[in-house]
Amino acid sequence: MRVLGVDPGLTRCGVGVVEGVAGRPLTMRGVGVVRTPADAELGLRLVVIEQGIEQWLDEYEPEVVAVERVFSQHNVRTVMGTAQASAVAMLCAARRGLTVALHTPSEVKAAVTGSGRADKAQVGAMVTRLLRLDAPPRPADAADALALAICHIWRAPAQNRLQQAVAQNRLQQAAALHASKPASHHASKGRTA
């Protein structure tokens, strides 16, 4: 599985591509940051992010795009910019028919470091170790994007099994409901007296 991880942000949008399957060594295919000028108009900044993500999608052709789920922060302005960049990443993926997976920061930290409260340095150190890199990717947004991709690769098999089990359960419930309806109700509809 090849996953493009996106750590959304208006000024620095981290992007990283990881390939592999759960239980096997993973390979980094690319890592970087899409940057926008802080003094530029918002619409232009979003266009720059879109163009950057489109370039990554063209070059690496991922199967899935894993985006950090935006959560409430104290700084509303920061969370709005993050949400807008996140929406651009999801739009780019959806336009191509790619699966979009959202992971919270604590899910990513727990998957990569074993602790949902890990700091950026710990995440960077584990990403470096897991991908057998010479040094942690800089800036931290780039390391976070790789961590998102790793998290998705490791969590996807369990999530898929869970989704299949839920779908199977719903199907069984629908079949049981249909079977419990009286057959005479269906047969009497077409008759006239």
Side-chain angles (χ1 to χ4, degrees):
M1 173 186 308
R2 184 177 290 191
V3 179
L4 171 64
V6 178
D7 181 42
L10 265 182
T11 304
R12 289 182 318 274
C13 184
V15 285
V17 179
V18 176
E19 191 168 42
V21 294
R24 300 270 170 103
L26 303 174
T27 303
M28 180 188 76
R29 294 292 177 208
V31 65
V33 176
V34 177
R35 297 178 188 272
T36 70
D39 59 349
E41 187 265 322
L42 175 62
L44 178 63
R45 295 176 82 183
L46 295 174
V47 168
V48 170
I49 291 170
E50 184 225 11
Q51 290 170 341
I53 290 173
E54 289 290 347
Q55 288 174 348
W56 279 80
L57 292 171
D58 286 343
E59 184 173 348
Y60 293 99
E61 299 179 344
E63 301 159 60
V64 178
V65 176
V67 181
E68 183 177 285
R69 183 184 298 274
V70 178
F71 67 102
S72 177
Q73 295 174 329
H74 299 296
N75 185 339
V76 174
R77 191 168 171 206
T78 301
V79 79
M80 285 302 294
T82 302
Q84 290 161 334
S86 177
V88 169
M90 290 187 282
L91 174 68
C92 291
R95 187 185 294 140
R96 293 171 183 244
L98 298 174
T99 299
V100 175
L102 300 174
H103 299 284
T104 66
S106 59
E107 285 174 343
V108 174
K109 291 173 185 178
V112 174
T113 71
S115 169
R117 297 178 181 265
D119 62 24
K120 290 210 177 268
Q122 291 170 307
V123 171
M126 283 307 294
V127 164
T128 302
R129 190 167 154 209
L130 292 168
L131 296 175
R132 301 167 313 282
L133 306 175
D134 294 333
R138 297 278 180 231
D141 310 274
D144 289 348
L146 291 171
L148 274 152
I150 293 168
C151 173
H152 184 74
I153 290 170
W154 286 354
R155 292 176 57 110
Q159 287 176 329
N160 290 342
R161 285 192 299 274
L162 180 62
Q163 288 171 346
Q164 288 171 351
V166 168
Q168 183 67 31
N169 187 24
R170 286 184 181 148
L171 190 61
Q172 289 171 346
Q173 288 176 345
L177 181 63
H178 182 71
S180 69
K181 288 186 180 178
S184 60
H185 174 73
H186 298 293
S188 65
K189 278 190 167 182
R191 294 186 183 159
T192 55

